[in-house]
Amino acid sequence: MKPNGLNLSDTEIATAFNDPSWADRFPPVLTVDQAADLAGVPRATIYAWSSAGRLRGCARKVGKRLRILRNRFVNHLFEG
């Protein structure tokens, strides 16, 4: 366990998105706007984190678009 990390399990993260309104708002693969909304940061911050390598393991470029895996992103926010 990392210092100050919450050590969220996959089940805990998945359970958080069982509510239909959350599931619709934050699908398993997020756009930059959705990730920014989820993290409560401006979209420019998501791009900055990506450029700095801070989203390694949870984000990938698809063509010109950045896509973020929701569950990994949430885990990364709480553990990173």
Side-chain angles (χ1 to χ4, degrees):
M1 181 170 137
K2 295 179 182 178
N4 299 321
L6 293 179
N7 230 10
L8 296 172
S9 71
D10 292 338
T11 303
E12 288 173 311
I13 294 170
T15 300
F17 295 98
N18 279 344
D19 181 283
S21 64
W22 276 78
D24 289 343
R25 190 170 165 196
F26 303 111
V29 179
L30 303 171
T31 65
V32 170
D33 289 331
Q34 290 167 327
D37 187 26
L38 179 60
V41 298
R43 65 189 308 237
T45 300
I46 301 295
Y47 284 118
W49 288 347
S50 177
S51 294
R54 295 186 64 195
L55 298 181
R56 205 169 286 132
C58 60
R60 175 156 302 175
K61 286 276 241 177
V62 178
K64 292 184 176 184
R65 311 276 186 219
L66 183 64
R67 295 292 181 246
I68 298 112
L69 297 173
R70 180 194 65 204
N71 291 3
R72 288 185 184 188
F73 180 64
V74 169
N75 193 24
H76 188 73
L77 287 174
F78 283 93
E79 299 301 323

